[in-house]
Amino acid sequence: MDEINFAVLGTGGIGRRALDYSTQKDHLTPVAACDRHGVAVDHDGLDVDELLAATEGNIANDGGTQTVKQSGSMKGVAASAQADPTETPIDDIIDVSDAIDAVLIALPNLEHDFVPNVGERFAEAGYEGVLVDVLKRSRVIDILDAREETYEDSGITFVCGAGATPGFLTGAAALAAQSFVEIEEVEIWWGVGLKSGYEDNRGTVREDIAHLDGYDIETARNLTDEEIEEIVEEHDGRIEFNDMEHADDVLLERAGICDAEDVTVGGILDVRSDEKPTTTTVSVTGRTFDGERGTNTFQLDDVTSMEANVNGPALGYMKAGVRRNRAGEYGVFGPADLMPGF
Amino acid sequence: MDEINFAVLGTGGIGRRALDYSTQKDHLTPVAACDRHGVAVDHDGLDVDELLAATEGNIANDGGTQTVKQSGSMKGVAASAQADPTETPIDDIIDVSDAIDAVLIALPNLEHDFVPNVGERFAEAGYEGVLVDVLKRSRVIDILDAREETYEDSGITFVCGAGATPGFLTGAAALAAQSFVEIEEVEIWWGVGLKSGYEDNRGTVREDIAHLDGYDIETARNLTDEEIEEIVEEHDGRIEFNDMEHADDVLLERAGICDAEDVTVGGILDVRSDEKPTTTTVSVTGRTFDGERGTNTFQLDDVTSMEANVNGPALGYMKAGVRRNRAGEYGVFGPADLMPGF
């Protein structure tokens, strides 16, 4: 595997963990990162420790004090010695994208076309490389697919839905399907214990709440932090989700594995414990060529955190995407189309 | 996925099941098959039912009579109305290989360099396409790697070790590794119940016996059928294997996932029951980026047969190989380098 220089758009929980995680992986060099107010670029490799220390949400973590979320023009990335304040962080990254092999888009996607639009801005600038997102909603994949030609013309390999679910577990379902000639059902069931990671992952919790009965993406976006706390309180910190709109369904359908309607996604989020409330399991039920009906399963150890299971696959799929891109394969790829590199 | 015309070299258990299996998969058309004495080619697609009925080992199965293994110039493939007798079956396939996208090499590999040599013959003829094998031994991968340039120069994408183990379970291990930044141990443990499939899979049983203490590939090859029966009898039909030389180890190492020595393969073969004597399980133990140590697992339902778990992945990896080949990626690929298509 050749060396990969990558950028991270967004330094919330996922973006920061991706930077951190990459320091423990071979062949990956983070060369750029931005948030709303700042951009840091170093083609020899960012000093991740310094950047993370300067990034919002990562301060005042000692002594058990609750993390303080900061904002403003000199907070977040801009507070790093490696960074400059900016009003146009994404354009600044696009300006140097000739030297960037892959970009992890770790921005909240509260508008359905936000991530596709970011991709389009890279395409308009003639970017030739990999874009990776960890988005969750099925309908975003449709938007990406509708714009596939734009990415192809530019030379972009867009790897979508490459986090834990969809992503890791979609890939597992695609693999588990190999025993069968016809898939009847794919059940994805996740458990997340998010006590110590709660502050870092408020965006994810907000997105999850949009899946609850009575909420949608619009109403969830408009909730105040206090209202979110109330919802969490009502559930005693432990919220169960059923029939979520997670893109595993369309990603498995576009790979020809099963119909989207045969895929169900659900899980339990516990924000008051770091123990997982339930074991993350993928169950794939199908018919074998010789007429048996069976269920293959893939289980993650309860000790593996959400952060490990989002960021490992995101970077693994990024490596796989770079390989496709270097072979001249452009367009939109789901996890089921790619074996993650390690 | 574009259409794929493929050939099968060898019509023992794996070759015949691959032909059968392919009739239940989309986008796959078997256009050629051969055994020692015969070759059948039809670029519009073979009549698989007719060919299988004519192939040795597939006769006299009614009424509980033991299958009679036939041989001679008009037996096996040559007995098919679609086939011709030949002394040079592989050369005959090579002669028409311009119209063949992929070749499944389902020949017994009792000489370590036999499959690599078959690949070399295709390369010498300038074949541009995919070769897939389901070989098991670690050292064969080294031979393939040593000759990678030959395959690359020809335009061959050689997907090796693409059966159940290595193959399916290697891919599962590569995927399960994504939670971790460092892999401590990969344990592959298989169960096979082979009562009704025993006659069709004598070659596989013979190869397995070579893994037992006191035997090697040389001595196993020279065993008579009666001597094999005696060994089976000594174990009451249920043979346990430990520390097998299965190429999962080198295939995971070459994909950068772990050291070969951290991979162990074992299992139980029961030739007197179709029930699996133990559940096939892949366990991957590693360290997460945030310092936890855990084990992810992948389990196959006991009802899925060895045939389903060899041939599904072999054809899935074939599809993935064709995709790589059409993108101009040549050389030697292991399962961990490829996500199987479905």
Side-chain angles (χ1 to χ4, degrees), chain B residues 62-120:
Chain B
D62 48 333
T65 333
Q66 202 188 344
T67 304
V68 179
K69 200 169 177 178
Q70 301 202 13
S71 60
S73 64
M74 287 305 291
K75 299 302 174 191
V77 168
S80 160
Q82 306 166 74
D84 296 307
T86 176
E87 294 298 305
T88 55
I90 294 175
D91 291 328
D92 294 357
I93 301 274
I94 289 174
D95 283 346
V96 296
S97 63
D98 266 4
I100 295 175
D101 300 308
V103 178
L104 176 66
I105 306 174
L107 299 164
N109 188 48
L110 288 173
E111 309 274 354
H112 280 126
D113 56 356
F114 184 72
V115 166
N117 287 347
V118 169
E120 213 152 72

Side-chain angles (χ1 to χ4, degrees), chain A residues 305-324:
Chain A
S305 63
M306 183 193 77
E307 292 85 347
N309 292 322
V310 168
N311 288 291
L315 296 176
Y317 285 125
M318 178 189 283
K319 287 184 175 183
V322 169
R323 183 163 186 174
R324 299 282 71 72

Side-chain angles (χ1 to χ4, degrees), chain B residues 102-157:
Chain B
V103 178
L104 176 66
I105 306 174
L107 299 164
N109 188 48
L110 288 173
E111 309 274 354
H112 280 126
D113 56 356
F114 184 72
V115 166
N117 287 347
V118 169
E120 213 152 72
R121 286 166 67 184
F122 275 84
E124 278 160 13
Y127 177 58
E128 297 173 22
V130 175
L131 299 176
V132 180
D133 71 54
V134 293
L135 59 81
K136 294 180 178 179
R137 294 257 168 189
S138 308
R139 67 193 88 168
V140 186
I141 310 294
D142 294 334
I143 299 174
L144 287 171
D145 272 342
R147 301 183 188 180
E148 180 161 33
E149 213 174 310
T150 307
Y151 310 129
E152 273 175 358
D153 289 346
S154 180
I156 289 171
T157 306

Side-chain angles (χ1 to χ4, degrees), chain B residues 110 136-137 190 194 198 201-235 237-246 267-271:
Chain B
L110 288 173
K136 294 180 178 179
R137 294 257 168 189
W190 53 260
L194 202 61
Y198 184 40
N201 291 285
R202 284 180 172 275
T204 301
V205 174
R206 183 182 291 266
E207 248 196 280
D208 282 343
I209 283 174
H211 292 281
L212 286 178
D213 275 351
Y215 297 92
D216 60 20
I217 216 157
E218 194 74 28
T219 52
R221 188 178 42 204
N222 294 326
L223 293 170
T224 64
D225 281 357
E226 290 68 32
E227 285 167 329
I228 286 180
E229 283 314 305
E230 274 171 40
I231 294 165
V232 168
E233 191 66 40
E234 279 165 28
H235 290 81
R238 192 181 152 120
I239 311 176
E240 181 167 334
F241 301 90
N242 290 289
D243 291 324
M244 302 178 80
E245 187 203 331
H246 263 218
I268 303 177
L269 169 71
D270 189 339
V271 301

Side-chain angles (χ1 to χ4, degrees), chain A residues 24 168 171-172 175 177-180 289-290 295-297 299-301 305 309 323-324 329 333 339-342, chain B residues 24 168 171-172 175 177-179 289-290 295-297 299-301 303 305 309 323-324 329 333 339-342:
Chain A
Q24 295 186 54
F168 194 8
L175 193 69
Q178 294 285 316
S179 294
F180 308 113
F289 85 112
D290 44 6
T295 301
N296 291 343
T297 54
Q299 285 200 322
L300 301 182
D301 195 307
S305 63
N309 292 322
R323 183 163 186 174
R324 299 282 71 72
E329 287 193 86
F333 293 76
M339 185 67 177
F342 185 80
Chain B
Q24 295 185 55
F168 195 8
L175 193 68
Q178 294 284 315
S179 294
F289 86 112
D290 44 7
T295 301
N296 291 343
T297 53
Q299 283 200 323
L300 301 183
D301 195 308
V303 305
S305 63
N309 292 323
R323 183 162 187 175
R324 298 282 72 73
E329 286 192 86
F333 294 76
M339 185 66 178
F342 185 79

